[in-house]
């Protein structure tokens, strides 16, 4: 079978594709931006069709002030939805972001809506409706996990009428087709993330093979799934781990993900396995997965059982739960039952509490993918198998906010990717957003995710509600502040739908309490504009570095690796020393509360703004005051960064950039060029002696030597201002050189304590 994607090209195999540090995904290499044929020809046509429909009164006109997004009466018929199509050209863009058509036609989009009235095209009710759900009394039919038979039966006609389901189905077929001729996943223990990559890759393959089998009845997919199963059981042609512990239980995430993979294989292909195959899958699942699970839940080996703010609790409980649900009833050992009696309570007490009260994932924006994938898979499996999620969705009233966290932490080009980025994602996606949309009645979560490049996934096929319509950005504030003391951070932008938009994010927050995935980075920021990232992050160090994950105290070796040190961040450095691991900054912020309307073109007033300031004195050892603030100026076209510092040792302002930096004569301004665009950076009221210089992104010679050498940061330049001890006000103005005739403002000097929404008008 040959398969080609929307843009007419084959994409697919991980093996030829490099790891993308900025997204944390395996992706095709950065490619020059171009417009897909679909955008070129599809959008104008679609807009014409919609405009005609509106003229003809087919699409109800919209309400701008509806308080409940879900209450809208607007909707599209299946034919209209297919005509409008979708916007997934992400794989053609440099940063894998969706490219939305530029239009001021408000009829093309509408408020996020889940229309229940008029679309015949919705999932039927689940025939399994137990009056009192019991985790040990599962539905009578197969599959049990996430995708019950009645959903498979309904799927083909839903696919026929929905452009997203249509495209995802095709992509999953494409993925399965690409995996099919390759050898089963080879065992590779990297000694830091163990065999986690292998486990997730196997899980992704099993999902794809089982999906395509169920959609075609072609048993060659079952045979291919069996080959993968045999291999990971150690019964294939290559060695797969040590005989006594093939799934690497010392790094239990690996065991958990493989338990989930085997559970899916067992359950989704239940009707087609021979009795002996079923027995072999169950034997292996018990021997290398669930039996080790019993050891984890009954001994101190299971340290993750009390791990409340990490992805581990979600992933481990989810894998054990999915594996156990799959064999419950067939398993005569009692192991599945024993595990189910403990994983659910434990996940409610930990995994479900993992997000801060503002929705922030405490590890990092990248680790959110692992934690929420585990959480959503576990809740969805329990719901389908037993009729109840046992509180996983609702026991933490703030969990649903984590969809907003994800949307706001995604910038115009890519994530605000502070801290560690994690191992490869493979089967971990952002598709929990699609599940959360229904569970938390937040249609915009699914509307946001459905255009992302990683949306095509068997889970999405069953989580997506085809009655969804509208634009996630309609009515959405351009700014948000997440100010739980653990992670205080700001997200501000000029548009949700323009990849060239201005996006600024800055964090303060605590330097510990993030599962040792953070950097010493209070005051760190990123800036996107003109389609590229001007101030960026260095990402993870080498996870195999000695003591890389030990960082609770100031002298820990994690803080000797450049990418984790304060000097490797976009912030103030004092005495060339790391920030205090016990820092506890305070923050202030405000926003004009500007929201985007229904269209993809947004014009904001010149006084539309947002700002975020922090007193981060507690992060420094040789300073009596360190305050930093960042704000948008001139109708969100410029950025002002201001620092007020009194230090008894040298003060350095640092920013890491992929741009080529040219310092202008006089030294107080610089011209940055990147991806064919220009950003002017200038100091306002520069203190005497303050000039821009540049350096490589490497440790100072005076730093302690880390146990192993740092990673190179090729192409990265540090733009810096280096000053002796003293009291300074540093103001740096960022002027992206927007196309057209834009007039730039020079803001007044206003002390951070006096900043307000109008202080710079
Ligand atoms: C599936 O294929 C799409 C499109 O080629 C690709 O972007 C994606 O990475 C693949 N997913 C998996 C799990 O291989
Ligand atoms: C799913 O995609 C495959 C491959 O493109 C296609 O052959 C099949 O008809 C699709 N299924 C449905 C129900 O449309
Ligand atoms: C992992 O450790 C084992 C045992 O020390 C060693 O044989 C193997 O080469 C290591 N693998 C990697 C990728 O470093
Ligand atoms: C697969 O087989 C089942 C059971 O016989 C049948 O209901 C279904 O329509 C078949 N699907 C396809 C795509 O042939
Ligand atoms: C693998 O082989 C072992 C030993 O023969 C057997 O017990 C197990 O069931 C097999 N598992 C699979 C999935 O083939
Ligand atoms: C440089 O570009 C790479 C690739 O897009 C990205 O991962 C990295 O974060 C960028 N670095 C900086 C400092 O912007």
């Amino acid at each position: 079978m040959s398969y080609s994607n929307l843009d007419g090209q084959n994409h697919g195999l991980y093996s030829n594709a490099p790891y993308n540090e900025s997204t944390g995904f395996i992706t095709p290499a950065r490619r020059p931006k171009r417009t897909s044929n679909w955008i070129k020809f599809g959008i104008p046509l679609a807009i014409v069709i919609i405009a005609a429909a509106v003229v003809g009164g087919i699409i109800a006109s919209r309400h701008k002030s509806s308080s409940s997004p879900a209450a809208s009466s607007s909707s599209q018929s299946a034919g209209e939805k297919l005509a409008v199509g979708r916007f997934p050209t992400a794989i053609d863009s440099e940063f894998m972001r969706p490219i939305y058509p530029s239009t001021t036609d408000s009829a093309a989009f509408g408020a996020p809506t889940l229309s229940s009235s008029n679309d015949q095209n919705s999932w039927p009710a689940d025939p399994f409706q137990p009056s009192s759900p019991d985790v040990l009394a599962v539905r009578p039919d197969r599959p049990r996990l996430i995708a019950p038979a009645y959903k498979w039966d309904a799927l083909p006609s839903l696919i026929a009428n929905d452009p997203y389901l249509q495209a995802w189905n095709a992509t999953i077929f494409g993925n399965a087709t690409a995996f099919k001729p390759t050898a089963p996943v080879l065992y590779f223990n990297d000694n830091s993330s163990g065999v986690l990559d292998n486990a997730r890759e196997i899980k992704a393959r099993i999902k794809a093979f089982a999906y395509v089998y169920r959609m075609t009845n072609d048993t060659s997919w079952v045979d291919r799934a069996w080959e993968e199963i045999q291999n990971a059981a150690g019964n294939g042609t290559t060695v797969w781990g040590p005989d006594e512990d093939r799934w690497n239980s010392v790094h239990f995430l690996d065991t958990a993900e493989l338990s989930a993979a085997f559970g899916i294989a067992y359950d989704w292909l239940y009707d087609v396995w021979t009795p002996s195959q079923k027995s072999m899958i169950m034997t292996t699942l018990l021997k290398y997965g669930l039996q080790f699970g019993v050891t984890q839940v009954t001994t101190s080996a299971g340290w993750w059982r009390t791990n409340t703010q990490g992805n581990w609790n979600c992933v481990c409980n989810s894998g054990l739960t999915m594996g156990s649900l799959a064999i419950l009833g067939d398993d005569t050992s009692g192991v599945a039952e024993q595990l189910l009696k403990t994983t659910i309570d434990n996940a409610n007490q930990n995994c479900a509490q993992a997000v801060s009260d503002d929705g922030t994932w405490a590890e990092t924006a990248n680790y959110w993918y692992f934690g929420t994938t585990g959480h959503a898979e576990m809740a969805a499996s329990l719901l389908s198998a037993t009729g109840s999620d046992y509180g996983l969705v609702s026991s933490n009233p703030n969990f649903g906010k984590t969809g907003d966290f994800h949307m706001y932490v995604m910038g115009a080009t890519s994530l605000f990717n502070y801290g560690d980025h994690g191992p490869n994602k493979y089967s971990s996606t952002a598709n929990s957003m699609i599940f959360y949309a229904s569970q938390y009645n937040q249609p915009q979560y699914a509307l946001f995710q459905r255009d992302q490049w990683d949306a095509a996934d068997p889970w999405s096929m069953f989580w997506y509600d085809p009655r969804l319509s509208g634009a996630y950005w309609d009515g959405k504030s351009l700014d948000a502040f997440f100010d739980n003391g653990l992670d205080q951070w700001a997200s501000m932008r000029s548009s949700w739908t323009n990849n060239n938009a201005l996006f600024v994010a800055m964090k303060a927050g605590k330097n510990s309490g993030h599962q040792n995935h953070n950097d010493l980075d209070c005051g760190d920021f990123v800036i996107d504009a003109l389609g590229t990232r001007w101030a960026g992050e260095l990402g993870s160090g080498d996870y195999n570095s000695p003591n890389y994950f030990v960082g609770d105290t100031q002298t820990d070796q994690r803080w000797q690796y450049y990418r984790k040190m304060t000097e490797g961040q976009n912030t103030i450095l004092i005495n060339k020393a790391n920030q205090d691991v016990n820092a506890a900054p305070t923050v202030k912020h405000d926003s004009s509360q500007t929201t985007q309307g229904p269209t993809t073109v947004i014009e904001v007033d010149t006084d539309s703004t947002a700002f975020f300031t922090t007193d981060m004195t507690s992060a420094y050892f040789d300073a009596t005051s360190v305050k930093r603030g960042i704000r948008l100026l001139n109708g969100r076209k410029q950025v002002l960064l201001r620092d007020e510092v009194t230090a008894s040792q040298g003060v350095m302002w640092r920013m890491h950039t992929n741009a080529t930096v040219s310092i202008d004569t006089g030294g107080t301004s610089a011209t940055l060029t990147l991806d064919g665009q220009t950003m002017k950076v200038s100091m306002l009221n520069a203190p005497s002696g303050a000039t821009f210089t540049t350096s490589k992104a490497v440790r100072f010679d005076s730093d302690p030597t880390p146990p192993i050498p740092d990673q190179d940061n090729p192409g990265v330049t540090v733009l810096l201002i280096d000053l002796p001890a003293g009291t300074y006000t540093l103001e740096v103005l960022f002027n992206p050189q927007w196309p057209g005739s834009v007039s730039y403002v020079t803001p007044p000097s206003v002390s951070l304590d006096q900043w307000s929404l109008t202080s710079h008008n």
Side-chain angles (χ1 to χ4, degrees):
M1 181 190 286
S2 82
Y3 160 75
S4 78
N5 207 320
L6 269 188
D7 63 352
Q9 301 197 4
N10 271 300
H11 304 281
L13 281 186
Y14 293 121
S15 43
N16 325 326
Y19 175 62
N20 180 322
E21 285 248 14
S22 92
T23 61
F25 285 106
I26 294 283
T27 65
R30 276 171 65 149
R31 287 194 246 163
K33 280 184 245 186
R34 63 192 166 80
T35 308
S36 80
N37 288 342
W38 193 86
I39 282 288
K40 270 185 277 192
F41 306 117
I43 285 287
L45 180 63
I47 303 280
V48 167
I49 290 170
I50 300 167
V54 169
V55 170
I58 298 170
I59 296 181
S61 71
R62 214 157 309 94
H63 78 77
K64 271 308 305 147
S65 53
S66 164
S67 54
S68 157
S72 165
S73 61
S74 84
S75 64
Q76 296 167 320
S77 74
E80 286 157 1
K81 279 200 295 189
L82 288 170
V84 172
R86 59 182 195 128
F87 313 113
T89 52
I91 52 172
D92 277 349
S93 68
E94 183 177 10
F95 291 96
M96 308 286 284
R97 304 285 295 128
I99 298 169
Y100 294 98
S102 176
T103 175
T104 52
D105 175 3
S106 64
F109 307 101
T113 301
L114 186 61
S115 161
S116 53
S117 53
N118 58 352
D119 205 327
Q120 77 289 2
N121 206 24
S122 65
W123 293 106
D126 189 344
F128 175 64
Q129 297 283 351
S131 52
S132 49
D134 175 352
V135 70
L136 297 179
V138 290
R139 66 183 312 128
D141 59 337
R142 296 272 180 173
R144 299 170 176 169
L145 300 177
I146 297 181
Y150 81 93
K151 284 204 161 182
W152 291 97
D153 293 343
L155 193 54
S157 80
L158 296 185
I159 289 174
N161 292 309
D162 185 276
Y164 287 89
L165 291 174
Q166 230 167 61
W168 298 338
N169 168 72
T171 300
I172 298 163
F173 268 72
N175 292 144
T177 305
F179 295 143
K180 198 178 192 185
T182 65
V185 175
L186 282 179
Y187 183 90
F188 177 75
N189 189 329
D190 74 2
N191 295 342
S192 55
S193 297
V195 295
L196 186 53
D197 276 6
N198 300 163
R200 290 192 168 128
E201 209 172 347
I202 290 167
K203 187 176 163 197
R205 289 178 173 207
I206 295 288
K207 283 165 65 181
F209 295 148
Y211 176 87
V212 175
Y213 165 70
R214 292 196 67 98
M215 296 298 284
T216 58
N217 290 340
D218 171 353
T219 53
S220 70
W221 297 103
V222 182
D223 298 341
R224 183 61 186 82
W226 179 244
E227 199 185 341
E228 206 69 47
I229 289 284
Q230 289 272 288
N231 181 60
N235 298 344
T237 55
T238 60
V239 177
W240 227 86
D243 186 35
E244 66 286 359
D245 186 3
R246 295 196 193 283
W247 295 357
N248 198 36
S249 68
V250 292
H251 190 248
F252 201 72
L253 297 173
D254 316 7
T255 318
E257 292 282 31
L258 282 163
S259 299
F262 271 55
I264 297 158
Y266 187 86
D267 180 55
W268 280 25
L269 301 176
Y270 191 86
D271 301 331
V272 69
W273 295 129
T274 64
S276 113
Q277 283 177 312
K278 251 190 293 213
S279 153
M280 286 160 92
I281 298 172
M282 183 162 70
T283 307
T284 300
L285 170 58
L286 282 164
K287 180 171 180 191
Y288 296 120
L290 305 186
Q291 293 280 9
F292 282 102
V294 171
T295 309
Q296 297 275 313
V297 304
T298 54
T299 72
S300 59
W303 63 269
W304 50 267
R305 303 245 308 152
T306 52
N307 176 241
T308 302
Q309 277 169 329
N311 71 98
W312 273 74
N313 190 274
C314 297
V315 174
C316 294
N317 278 318
S318 177
L320 292 176
T321 301
M322 291 175 79
S324 297
L325 285 172
I327 61 168
L328 191 74
D330 295 350
D331 164 38
T332 52
S333 71
V335 164
E337 193 173 321
Q338 183 184 355
L339 287 173
L340 289 170
K341 284 180 174 163
T342 173
T343 54
I344 299 168
D345 285 348
N346 188 259
N348 263 316
Q349 285 153 24
N350 297 281
C351 169
Q353 312 305 321
V355 301
S356 301
D357 59 9
D358 59 18
T360 300
W361 192 265
E363 290 175 298
T364 66
N366 267 298
Y367 272 87
W368 173 94
Y369 287 78
F370 305 116
T372 59
T373 297
H375 176 264
E377 286 175 349
M378 179 166 173
S381 297
L382 284 166
L383 267 172
S384 58
T386 75
S388 170
D389 71 334
Y390 294 90
L392 274 183
V393 169
S394 57
S395 64
N396 173 357
N398 294 313
F399 201 97
K401 295 179 187 169
T402 209
D404 250 346
F405 165 71
H406 178 67
M407 286 170 76
Y408 279 101
V409 87
M410 184 65 82
T413 69
S414 51
L415 283 183
F416 176 24
N417 50 352
Y418 54 85
D420 286 341
H421 294 180
N424 295 313
K425 296 202 167 59
Y426 296 115
S427 57
S428 306
T429 66
N431 293 325
S432 57
M433 295 289 277
I434 298 177
F435 180 66
Y436 296 155
S438 309
Q439 296 300 314
Y440 297 110
N441 190 22
Q442 300 288 337
Q444 74 273 17
Y445 291 174
L447 294 171
F448 175 84
Q449 175 61 18
R450 71 182 189 177
D451 291 317
Q452 308 297 324
W453 78 275
D454 64 340
D457 164 12
W459 292 168
S460 308
M461 300 304 294
F462 301 96
W463 288 343
Y464 186 69
D465 188 330
R467 294 171 301 169
L468 279 169
S469 69
Y472 74 83
W473 56 85
D474 188 7
K476 194 151 189 71
S477 177
L478 296 176
D479 314 307
F481 305 101
F482 296 75
D483 57 9
N484 179 289
L486 186 56
D487 291 277
Q488 301 151 318
W489 69 280
S491 168
M492 315 181 252
R493 71 185 75 214
S494 62
S495 163
W496 279 103
T497 46
N498 185 341
N499 291 347
N500 297 328
L502 183 67
F503 170 73
V504 175
M506 181 185 279
K507 70 185 293 296
K510 296 200 168 134
N511 276 337
S512 56
H514 312 277
Q515 312 289 317
N516 291 316
H517 286 310
N518 62 294
D519 304 336
L520 296 178
D521 63 354
C522 299
D524 182 46
F525 68 98
V526 297
I527 298 179
D528 289 343
L530 298 163
T532 198
R533 177 150 290 184
W534 297 94
E537 301 283 342
L538 302 177
S540 305
D542 178 354
Y543 278 20
N544 267 323
S545 307
N547 294 322
Y548 184 79
F549 294 116
V550 182
D552 286 343
T553 58
Q554 199 66 35
T555 52
D556 284 336
Q557 282 177 326
R558 179 175 177 84
W559 311 128
Q560 295 181 0
Y561 298 111
Y562 181 78
R563 293 184 176 190
K564 307 293 107 186
M565 297 169 79
T566 303
E567 64 197 49
Q569 317 305 322
N570 303 327
T571 190
I572 296 288
L573 186 68
I574 294 182
N575 197 23
K576 295 184 176 173
N578 275 328
Q579 289 180 350
D580 191 337
V581 294
N582 295 315
T586 56
V587 298
K588 286 185 191 162
H589 45 75
D590 207 350
S591 157
S592 57
Q593 313 271 357
T594 311
T595 56
Q596 186 156 344
T599 77
T600 54
V601 173
I602 165 170
E603 294 292 340
V604 301
D605 295 338
T606 51
D607 61 357
S608 172
T609 188
F611 69 86
F612 177 79
T613 67
T614 174
D615 183 333
M616 51 180 189
T617 310
S618 63
Y620 292 93
F621 294 102
D622 298 298
T624 51
S625 182
V626 184
K627 294 179 183 176
R628 160 164 275 209
I630 199 160
R631 69 181 300 136
L632 308 185
L633 296 173
N634 192 17
R636 299 176 185 257
K637 291 189 200 66
Q638 296 169 259
V639 181
L640 177 67
L641 176 63
R642 179 180 174 109
D643 293 287
E644 296 168 3
V645 181
T646 298
S648 56
Q649 296 287 344
V651 174
M652 200 183 281
W653 181 105
R654 294 171 70 83
M655 177 187 122
H656 294 73
T657 184
N658 281 331
T660 302
V661 178
S662 149
I663 313 258
D664 304 329
T665 318
T668 58
S669 62
T671 302
L672 277 52
T673 51
L674 180 61
D675 290 345
Q677 301 292 340
T678 303
M679 167 81 89
K680 299 247 186 211
V681 181
S682 52
M683 267 186 258
L684 302 178
N685 315 304
S688 124
T691 55
F692 284 120
T693 52
T694 60
S695 80
K696 289 188 169 160
V698 294
R699 282 180 300 115
F700 299 114
D701 292 341
S702 53
D703 288 339
T705 307
I708 62 162
D710 283 308
Q711 291 67 56
D712 288 339
N713 296 304
V716 178
T717 298
V718 186
L719 179 65
L720 61 92
I721 308 169
D722 190 6
L723 292 162
T727 294
Y728 302 100
T729 295
L730 288 173
E731 284 192 293
V732 177
L733 182 67
F734 294 87
N735 290 352
Q737 297 301 293
W738 304 104
S741 56
V742 168
S743 51
Y744 291 86
V745 298
T746 302
S749 174
V750 180
S751 72
L752 290 168
D753 287 345
Q754 305 303 316
W755 276 22
S756 71
L757 290 177
T758 54
S759 54
H760 292 69
N761 289 356

